[in-house]
């Protein structure tokens, strides 16, 4: 039950694209196409942005996209906007009804 | 509209107990796995426990096994977390969330502070 590895911080200018990586192991990210991503603004509850690696819930902007290769998943945000500044967490199913989260990445929009 | 409202948090001494509740509305509660996820101050999210629709299966993160118990009452559309033998490292905001693999709705959380 070790946490997934994310960069502590990323930054980008408005209009640019950024990518956040999420590295796990062959027991979690590498074994299941069940990676999700959450956005959390300060003092707020997490919001589901991507599920099953690349699917977007209804209402989430298509500027958000997800992918996976081997044991690493990625979240890409294109056309950065000020409102995207937040913490982002990845999450992966790890078998036996257990999930594991990443340590979180703080996105700063310059 | 799906709503999850947690309650029961507060200040408790090390070794003490607390019971968290989560009131669900806006969906068929008995049809979903439910989870508790916590977030220590300034830290990341940590999955704590989850429970199957009928309560027949329960799973816990290693750090709370034997101390925490998740339960539910489908007749009351409510989820619970009984926390015993609390430690300072259990201090966190505790969120109730719908689902397990990718929890899609979360409550606003309830703060649990373990301190003497």
């Amino acid at each position: 039950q070790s946490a997934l590895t994310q960069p502590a911080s990323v930054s980008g200018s408005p209009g640019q694209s950024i990518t956040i990586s999420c590295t796990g192991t062959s027991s979690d990210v590498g074994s299941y196409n069940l990676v999700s991503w959450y956005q959390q603004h300060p003092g707020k509850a997490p919001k589901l942005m991507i599920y099953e690696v690349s699917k977007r819930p209804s209402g989430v902007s298509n500027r958000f996209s997800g992918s996976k290769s081997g044991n690493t998943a990625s979240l890409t945000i294109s056309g950065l906007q000020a409102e995207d500044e937040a913490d982002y967490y990845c999450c992966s199913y790890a078998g036996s009804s257990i999930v594991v989260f990443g340590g979180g990445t703080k996105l700063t929009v310059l | 509209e799906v709503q999850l409202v947690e309650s029961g948090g507060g200040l408790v001494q090390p070794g003490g107990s607390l019971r968290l509740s989560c009131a669900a509305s806006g969906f068929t509660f008995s049809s979903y796995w439910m989870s508790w996820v916590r977030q220590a101050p300034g830290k990341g999210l940590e999955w704590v426990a989850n429970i199957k629709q009928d309560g027949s299966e329960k799973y816990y993160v290693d750090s709370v096994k034997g101390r925490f118990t998740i339960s539910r009452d489908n007749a009351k559309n409510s989820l619970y977390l009984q926390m015993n033998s609390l430690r300072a490292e259990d201090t966190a905001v505790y969120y109730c969330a719908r689902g397990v693999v990718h929890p899609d709705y979360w409550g606003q959380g309830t703060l649990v502070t373990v301190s003497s």
Side-chain angles (χ1 to χ4, degrees):
Chain A
Q1 297 176 350
S2 299
L4 307 175
T5 300
Q6 298 181 233
S9 64
V10 298
S11 63
S13 300
Q16 288 186 332
S17 294
I18 63 94
T19 297
I20 300 172
S21 62
C22 169
T23 301
T25 69
S26 57
S27 297
D28 39 61
V29 175
S31 286
Y32 308 96
N33 287 324
L34 295 173
V35 176
S36 52
W37 289 90
Y38 294 86
Q39 176 191 67
Q40 186 181 35
H41 287 108
K44 300 295 186 181
K47 175 186 177 184
L48 180 65
M49 304 302 285
I50 296 287
Y51 67 100
E52 293 177 8
V53 176
S54 60
K55 297 178 180 178
R56 278 189 310 275
S58 174
V60 172
S61 170
N62 59 10
R63 298 186 298 106
F64 292 82
S65 61
S67 63
K68 191 189 88 166
S69 177
N71 296 337
T72 299
S74 299
L75 172 71
T76 297
I77 308 174
S78 59
L80 266 180
Q81 300 179 0
E83 68 211 47
D84 299 332
E85 185 162 294
D87 294 327
Y88 291 84
Y89 295 90
C90 61
C91 176
S92 176
Y93 183 66
S96 302
S97 298
I98 289 171
V99 296
V100 60
F101 285 92
T105 298
K106 180 177 180 59
L107 169 62
T108 301
V109 180
L110 302 171
Chain B
E1 178 192 6
V2 172
Q3 284 198 322
L4 297 168
V5 180
E6 302 93 338
S7 61
L11 174 64
V12 60
Q13 292 188 337
S17 298
L18 215 52
R19 188 195 196 206
L20 306 184
S21 298
C22 171
S25 61
F27 66 102
T28 304
F29 180 72
S30 59
S31 296
Y32 288 85
W33 281 76
M34 296 295 294
S35 299
W36 286 99
V37 178
R38 67 184 178 183
Q39 186 170 34
K43 301 298 184 181
L45 301 172
E46 180 184 37
W47 167 76
V48 174
N50 59 45
I51 185 169
K52 194 176 180 180
Q53 290 91 330
D54 61 359
S56 61
E57 295 182 34
K58 305 175 184 181
Y59 300 90
Y60 302 90
V61 67
D62 286 346
S63 59
V64 309
K65 284 179 182 176
R67 301 188 300 121
F68 289 12
T69 301
I70 188 172
S71 62
R72 64 192 296 163
D73 185 336
N74 288 341
K76 295 183 177 180
N77 291 336
S78 293
L79 178 71
Y80 306 101
L81 187 66
Q82 177 66 44
M83 304 185 296
N84 299 329
S85 303
L86 282 161
R87 307 167 179 166
E89 54 264 36
D90 296 319
T91 294
V93 173
Y94 284 74
Y95 293 101
C96 160
R98 187 179 82 168
V100 172
V101 175
H102 53 259
D104 55 358
Y105 286 93
W106 298 57
Q108 285 304 302
T110 187
L111 176 62
V112 172
T113 302
V114 184
S115 174
S116 55

